[in-house]
Amino acid sequence: VDFKVGADGTVFATRELQVPSEQVAFTVTAWDSQTAERWDAVVRLLVAQTSSLHSGHKPQKGKKIVALDPSPPPKDTLLPWPRHQNADGLRRRKRDWVIPPINVPENSRGPFPQQLVRIRSDKDNDIPIRYSITGVGADQPPMEVFSIDSMSGRMYVTRPMDREEHASYHLRAHAVDMNGNKVENPIDLYIYVIDMNDNRPEFINQVYNGSVDEGSKPGTYVMTVTANDADDSTTANGMVRYRIVTQTPQSPSQNMFTINSETGDIVTVAAGLDREKVQQYTVIVQATDMEGNLNYGLSNTATAIITVTDVNDNPPEFTASTFAGEVPENRVETVVANLTVMDRDQPHSPNWNAVYRIISGDPSGHFSVRTDPVTNEGMVTVVKAVDYELNRAFMLTVMVSNQAPLASGIQMSFQSTAGVTISVMDINEAPYFPSNHKLIRLEEGVPPGTVLTTFSAVDPDRFMQQAVRYSKLSDPANWLHINTTNGQITTAAVLDRESLYTKNNVYEATFLAADNGIPPASGTGTLQIYLIDINDNAPELLPKEAQICEKPNLNAINITAADADIDPNIGPYVFELPFVPAAVRKNWTITRLNGDYAQLSLRILYLEAGMYDVPIIVTDSGNPPLSNTSIIKVKVCPCDDNGDCTTIGAVAAAGLGTGAIVAILICILILLTMVLLFVMWMKRREKERHTKQLLIDPEDDVRDNILKYDEEGGGEEDQDYDLSQLQQPEAMGHVPSKAPGVRRVDERPVGAEPQYPVRPMVPHPGDIGDFINEGLRAADNDPTAPPYDSLLVFDYEGSGSTAGSVSSLNSSSSGDQDYDYLNDWGPRFKKLADMYGGGEED
């Protein structure tokens, strides 16, 4: 057997053959094992040159291969149309063989178009055949990469191929006659672009960041770098290998790291990583294809930055073995000493942050050591006040450690422990009262000068010779006195439990104890006196006033006793009526309801209405008992059917008869009627006064200074004189409703008013007589004025004016006056002075 066919349809020679120049033909059969279908195809071969064999097909040693898919194929290579044959003979089938792929190297330099293969149907001997191809690269984008000679069936590639753009193409070849009728079924053509090493490896990142703990053992993983090559990864063109080019710094070794050539994993290869010496390494990594062959492969580089992370391999150490400080006594939250430490680990990290602990010297917990977050110093702070009289100094032992535990194999240093000496300073402390608040029990009513107790204070400064003086700070009732030297308390007045200054039987006073230190200090103490009650308050009756019907009925007066004392000096009480005067027991009776209540009621069948003072004696149950006579004012009055006092009866009870009551009621009615009439009259007068319209504002004319002390007129006492008639009408510019001209002032006209010439705003220097005459004429000619209003009174008399006003023109006491001084007032008053100076009146 000279030829064999593989399972994938590849036909190859089994031995070295001498193929004649004429073509060799044989039939290849394929079948389906499940359906038992068979397909036959006739293959015609031409002699191929061995130098054109594709490098991807490795011949067997000593064999010469004649293949169907040489790359590039020879000019006369034919791909015959596959045929199908069974036992009945040759016939067409819907399913045909797949033509072996055609391999085309990328980046070919041509010349183009370059023939790939020739497709030929065995019917082209009988009829003319037209060939065409379809698919991506032919009639689909990218267009016209491949072309075919429609007559000869030769297929060409028209330009260089790029495997990274399209690694393969799938075309279909068609054969039709000159009329366009299909002669053969379309066959599939697969064209593979053979990869060339035309792409360098590209790192995903130009800079990679990784980290590794200091002190890591060799072989510790650090990071991974990755480079991608666009070439075929199944060939050497895309097989990338890695290597480390340089390492900076080269300490403590120039080869601290290594890289896996295939995966790009960087691991440590040497020991000695120390962050305190080298914090960061810069490693240049190279990626090369062609399996790392530096002679033929393409290379690229990237930078790997490796940070050495800190571990707690350095314990903190005190900068000194001992520290000292001092603190005043009774002071808290005060920093008394600062402890400094040194730690070579990463600052402000848990490996560097210090934690301080007092391990001895402070059994009572007076101190704590806090960490300064900035400087990492230990601040020895007083959290519980110290007493100089108890401890004059403290010797503390403080240990320092880190927040994070030490790394494995690292031991604490002996310098991680230090001694702290703290001296306590003595200060003047305030005296204090050992028993505060101090409570004593005492009966009320003790006489002044009674010694109650000694309320003394203690000075805590035992090593200072100081004197303590006492004084009162608060004594609300001023009942007490304190000895300034020894604190003895005596009474200055009688202590009364029932006083307003006593709360819940306790009287409270505050005292001050001060020493003579520098500076002086003082303390306060409170003395509480519990006052025991004695029977020193007689009971009293409530209510003080009551009322009852003049005839006995079911209602009575309920009375109760009140006592300022407390049990047993209060009830039960004894209520009784005195024997003197005898009328009390004759008219009244008292009935005890219980220990605190009694009822007072009438004994007789009728008692005249009025006010009665009923004395009642009440006695408490104290030892000795105290009695008190209380007077209850009882109002006896006639009652209605419900037993309530009537209104008339209540008045009668006040001591008035029926006639007096009726007279009082009539007087009240008359008074109310008079008040009502007066109010109506005042409202009418006010309405009339508001209807009058002034000619001029009296506040703007000096003539309003005339004072009316007396007046004469037509004999009517209530005649009303309107001085506004003496004023000029034009001076009333501020009255909005005033129309030009002269108008009646007691009634507003209904019809049209006559229009008179407007007087000038500046007063004319004429006399007042002209003004009066003009006003008279205006009034007489006013059609809206009633007849009785035609005469106007312009003058009225007065006396006693010290200012020499016009009010002195007429006087009821004297008819002869000297009016010459009016000449000094100006031309307005000159003629007025002449008129009145001549003895004329009105």
Side-chain angles (χ1 to χ4, degrees):
V1 178
D2 296 330
F3 300 96
K4 283 187 177 181
V5 61
D8 59 351
T10 303
V11 179
F12 56 91
T14 59
R15 59 188 180 84
E16 186 173 334
L17 299 173
Q18 295 292 333
V19 181
S21 58
E22 64 272 10
Q23 65 179 15
V24 176
F26 54 87
T27 301
V28 178
T29 301
W31 65 90
D32 191 332
S33 59
Q34 295 180 353
T35 62
E37 289 187 275
R38 296 182 58 181
W39 298 271
D40 297 331
V42 177
V43 179
R44 296 184 180 89
L45 297 182
L46 296 178
V47 177
Q49 302 293 329
T50 56
S51 60
S52 63
L53 290 178
H54 183 257
S55 60
H57 296 274
K58 296 182 179 180
Q60 297 179 5
K61 186 175 181 180
K63 301 290 182 168
K64 182 178 180 180
I65 297 177
V66 177
L68 283 175
D69 57 344
S71 178
K75 299 295 182 178
D76 53 354
T77 300
L78 295 179
L79 293 182
W81 228 272
R83 297 294 171 180
H84 191 253
Q85 184 179 3
N86 57 14
D88 298 333
L90 188 64
R91 63 174 182 155
R92 294 179 182 270
R93 304 285 296 188
K94 290 184 178 180
R95 296 182 60 186
D96 296 319
W97 283 358
V98 176
I99 302 301
I102 302 171
N103 296 323
V104 180
E106 66 172 335
N107 302 324
S108 173
R109 296 183 179 180
F112 296 100
Q114 181 178 3
Q115 181 179 337
L116 297 180
V117 70
R118 180 184 176 188
I119 302 173
R120 182 173 176 273
S121 172
D122 55 359
K123 291 185 179 182
D124 62 354
N125 296 325
D126 302 329
I127 59 175
I129 301 297
R130 295 291 181 265
Y131 301 96
S132 64
I133 56 175
T134 58
V136 176
D139 59 347
Q140 300 177 21
M143 306 286 287
E144 299 180 350
V145 177
F146 303 95
S147 64
I148 189 170
D149 188 327
S150 61
M151 297 300 294
S152 64
R154 291 184 176 88
M155 189 174 71
Y156 302 92
V157 59
T158 61
R159 59 180 182 231
M161 309 292 285
D162 186 359
R163 192 202 67 85
E164 288 70 42
E165 182 179 353
H166 284 281
S168 64
Y169 296 87
H170 177 201
L171 302 179
R172 305 200 76 181
H174 306 271
V176 296
D177 58 16
M178 298 303 292
N179 294 323
N181 297 319
K182 182 173 66 173
V183 176
E184 302 283 357
N185 288 331
I187 61 172
D188 294 318
L189 299 177
Y190 292 93
I191 302 172
Y192 293 101
V193 182
I194 301 173
D195 182 50
M196 304 291 290
N197 190 19
D198 57 346
N199 291 278
R200 293 178 178 274
E202 295 290 341
F203 283 96
I204 297 177
N205 301 311
Q206 280 302 308
V207 178
Y208 290 84
N209 291 286
S211 62
V212 62
D213 290 340
E214 62 175 330
S216 296
K217 296 180 180 179
T220 302
Y221 171 81
V222 179
M223 61 194 302
T224 299
V225 296
T226 303
N228 295 325
D229 197 317
D231 293 327
D232 190 357
S233 60
T234 62
T235 65
N237 298 335
M239 294 181 180
V240 180
R241 298 293 181 265
Y242 303 93
R243 73 185 187 95
I244 293 177
V245 180
T246 58
Q247 168 196 308
T248 305
Q250 298 181 357
S251 174
S253 171
Q254 63 179 357
N255 294 317
M256 294 296 297
F257 306 95
T258 186
I259 188 171
N260 187 304
S261 61
E262 295 185 3
T263 63
D265 295 339
I266 298 177
V267 297
T268 59
V269 69
L273 289 173
D274 190 350
R275 190 204 65 86
E276 286 72 41
K277 294 180 180 179
V278 179
Q279 299 183 6
Q280 192 177 82
Y281 289 91
T282 301
V283 176
I284 305 300
V285 180
Q286 185 182 54
T288 306
D289 57 16
M290 298 300 291
E291 298 182 288
N293 190 322
L294 298 179
N295 295 325
Y296 304 103
L298 301 177
S299 301
N300 220 332
T301 60
T303 302
I305 298 177
I306 302 173
T307 301
V308 182
T309 55
D310 183 53
V311 298
N312 194 14
D313 57 348
N314 293 280
E317 298 178 350
F318 284 104
T319 57
S321 58
T322 58
F323 296 88
E326 60 180 8
V327 56
E329 63 174 334
N330 302 323
R331 191 78 59 83
V332 294
E333 298 301 327
T334 301
V335 178
V336 298
N338 290 328
L339 314 180
T340 56
V341 296
M342 179 186 64
D343 195 322
R344 294 190 298 270
D345 290 322
Q346 180 72 38
H348 303 289
S349 68
N351 300 329
W352 179 83
N353 295 335
V355 178
Y356 299 88
R357 182 166 57 94
I358 299 175
I359 59 177
S360 65
D362 185 24
S364 299
H366 290 284
F367 304 93
S368 70
V369 185
R370 302 171 182 173
T371 304
D372 188 316
V374 177
T375 62
N376 214 28
E377 294 180 352
M379 300 179 294
V380 182
T381 307
V382 183
V383 295
K384 181 179 177 181
V386 296
D387 190 353
Y388 176 82
E389 285 69 32
L390 297 178
N391 299 98
R392 298 189 183 184
F394 291 87
M395 298 294 297
L396 308 179
T397 302
V398 181
M399 175 180 288
V400 62
S401 59
N402 293 125
Q403 287 182 349
L406 288 173
S408 177
I410 305 299
Q411 301 296 327
M412 291 291 293
S413 171
F414 71 94
Q415 293 180 343
S416 298
T417 305
V420 182
T421 303
I422 299 176
S423 301
V424 181
M425 297 184 296
D426 189 17
I427 62 173
N428 186 25
E429 299 177 81
Y432 66 94
F433 291 88
S435 55
N436 192 21
H437 302 24
K438 184 176 182 179
L439 177 66
I440 62 173
R441 299 175 63 88
L442 180 70
E443 280 191 355
E444 63 173 332
V446 296
T450 303
V451 177
L452 300 182
T453 185
T454 298
F455 196 31
S456 59
V458 177
D459 192 348
D461 297 314
R462 294 178 298 171
F463 301 101
M464 298 182 184
Q465 299 299 324
Q466 297 179 152
V468 178
R469 307 287 290 181
Y470 301 93
S471 61
K472 287 195 302 182
L473 191 62
S474 172
D475 184 10
N478 202 23
W479 286 345
L480 305 176
H481 172 75
I482 187 169
N483 189 296
T484 58
T485 57
N486 59 15
Q488 189 180 67
I489 306 294
T490 57
T491 59
V494 177
L495 278 63
D496 185 7
R497 190 200 66 85
E498 291 75 33
S499 171
L500 297 176
Y501 300 104
T502 303
K503 307 296 181 183
N504 298 325
N505 303 329
V506 176
Y507 179 76
E508 190 171 277
T510 306
F511 299 92
L512 183 71
D515 61 20
N516 59 350
I518 301 176
S522 60
T524 60
T526 300
L527 177 66
Q528 293 178 331
I529 304 174
Y530 184 89
L531 295 175
I532 302 173
D533 183 49
I534 63 175
N535 194 19
D536 57 346
N537 292 276
E540 294 185 356
L541 290 180
L542 294 175
K544 299 296 183 183
E545 297 180 357
Q547 68 179 19
I548 196 171
C549 296
E550 59 187 4
K551 295 181 180 180
N553 56 10
L554 295 179
N555 65 346
I557 300 173
N558 292 325
I559 57 177
T560 182
D563 198 328
D565 294 322
I566 60 175
D567 191 64
N569 297 319
I570 50 175
Y573 299 98
V574 176
F575 304 91
E576 57 184 346
L577 296 175
F579 291 95
V580 178
V584 175
R585 284 182 173 260
K586 177 183 177 182
N587 297 335
W588 305 91
T589 181
I590 190 167
T591 304
R592 178 178 172 183
L593 300 178
N594 56 31
D596 296 332
Y597 296 93
Q599 278 188 346
L600 179 66
S601 59
L602 285 175
R603 177 185 292 274
I604 60 178
L605 297 178
Y606 173 79
L607 185 62
E608 185 181 356
M611 295 295 297
Y612 295 88
D613 291 339
V614 180
I616 299 176
I617 301 172
V618 58
T619 305
D620 62 20
S621 299
N623 187 18
L626 292 181
S627 298
N628 183 32
T629 300
S630 296
I631 304 297
I632 298 179
K633 291 184 176 296
V634 180
K635 180 189 295 184
V636 179
C637 59
C639 297
D640 55 16
D641 296 339
N642 297 326
D644 299 326
C645 264
T646 61
T647 304
I648 298 177
V651 176
L656 299 178
T658 304
I661 294 173
V662 173
I664 291 174
L665 293 178
I666 293 174
C667 291
I668 292 174
L669 291 175
I670 294 173
L671 180 60
L672 291 175
T673 303
M674 294 178 65
V675 171
L676 180 60
L677 292 175
F678 178 75
V679 171
M680 293 176 63
W681 179 76
M682 289 296 295
K683 287 186 176 180
R684 182 177 179 184
R685 286 287 305 274
E686 185 69 20
K687 182 177 181 181
E688 292 177 355
R689 189 176 300 276
H690 279 290
T691 57
K692 295 179 181 180
Q693 301 183 8
L694 301 178
L695 296 176
I696 190 169
D697 191 350
E699 296 179 358
D700 299 335
D701 199 335
V702 297
R703 287 173 292 180
D704 271 353
N705 293 329
I706 298 175
L707 304 177
K708 183 173 77 171
Y709 296 97
D710 194 4
E711 57 189 15
E712 298 177 1
E716 295 180 7
E717 296 179 358
D718 59 347
Q719 184 173 355
D720 189 9
Y721 295 93
D722 191 354
L723 292 182
S724 62
Q725 297 295 337
L726 296 175
Q727 302 175 356
Q728 298 182 19
E730 59 272 15
M732 298 183 63
H734 65 283
V735 181
S737 62
K738 175 65 178 167
V742 180
R743 176 182 295 171
R744 304 304 302 147
V745 297
D746 60 338
E747 181 178 357
R748 184 177 182 88
V750 178
E753 299 181 8
Q755 301 297 322
Y756 300 100
V758 179
R759 297 178 60 86
M761 293 305 293
V762 180
H764 194 273
D767 53 21
I768 196 170
D770 296 337
F771 174 74
I772 294 175
N773 293 330
E774 182 181 351
L776 285 173
R777 288 192 301 271
D780 293 339
N781 296 328
D782 188 358
T784 64
Y788 58 82
D789 202 26
S790 59
L791 291 179
L792 301 178
V793 179
F794 292 93
D795 67 328
Y796 45 88
E797 297 177 356
S799 61
S801 175
T802 59
S805 63
V806 183
S807 64
S808 62
L809 292 177
N810 293 325
S811 176
S812 62
S813 62
S814 176
D816 298 330
Q817 294 291 340
D818 184 5
Y819 298 102
D820 294 338
Y821 62 87
L822 293 177
N823 295 326
D824 298 334
W825 289 11
R828 301 184 184 184
F829 298 91
K830 183 176 184 300
K831 190 172 182 178
L832 183 62
D834 295 340
M835 180 176 59
Y836 283 92
E840 298 178 2
E841 296 181 1
D842 300 334

